[in-house]
Amino acid sequence: MTTTSHPGRTLRILGALLLVIGLAGYFLPAPPVHWTALIPAGLGALAILAAWQRRGPALVTGFLICALAMFGGGSALSQIPALLSGEAGPATASRVATALVAIGGFTALWQVWRRKPA
């Protein structure tokens, strides 16, 4: 049963965004592209699968996925000005997008965690 305090919807949205970022980061730039560009897509698939867990395990899994995404993309956040001015490439854009989605995921999961189960 899905309630307003279950993280399922949040994890499905997080997963879909990470899937899009990973696939775009792999297929849109000109080859050769390293397979590691697909890591956000793998994390997205895990987030979607985690959406069907019970509330507690889903929250833990979601927070872990966000942490992994932050480790992978967080260092690129300092390159946002270069990205906005057009000086950074697609790999930087993908890492920045992954980190921003992870930050949004942390925030959304935190809000779900604070609510009492219905």
Side-chain angles (χ1 to χ4, degrees), residues 17-41 89-95 97-98:
L17 289 172
L18 288 172
L19 269 170
V20 168
I21 291 168
L23 293 174
Y26 186 76
F27 290 111
L28 291 182
V33 178
H34 199 268
W35 67 269
T36 56
L38 290 171
I39 291 174
T92 302
S94 176
R95 290 180 57 227
T98 299

Side-chain angles (χ1 to χ4, degrees), residues 56-91:
L59 281 169
V60 170
T61 305
F63 282 125
L64 287 174
I65 289 169
C66 288
L68 287 172
M70 278 301 301
F71 286 133
S75 63
L77 288 176
S78 63
Q79 298 175 1
I80 289 176
L83 182 66
L84 294 176
S85 67
E87 298 170 8

Side-chain angles (χ1 to χ4, degrees), residues 4 9 12-13 15 21 23 28 42-43 50 59 65 68 75-76 79 81 91 93 96 98 100 103 109-110:
T4 58
R9 180 177 177 181
R12 285 189 292 276
I13 292 169
I21 291 168
L23 293 174
L28 291 182
L43 292 174
L59 281 169
I65 289 169
L68 287 172
S75 63
Q79 298 175 1
V96 166
T98 299
L100 292 175
I103 291 169
L109 289 170
W110 179 262

Side-chain angles (χ1 to χ4, degrees), residues 1-15:
M1 180 174 150
T2 302
T3 64
T4 58
S5 66
H6 193 278
R9 180 177 177 181
T10 300
L11 287 171
R12 285 189 292 276
I13 292 169
L14 174 71

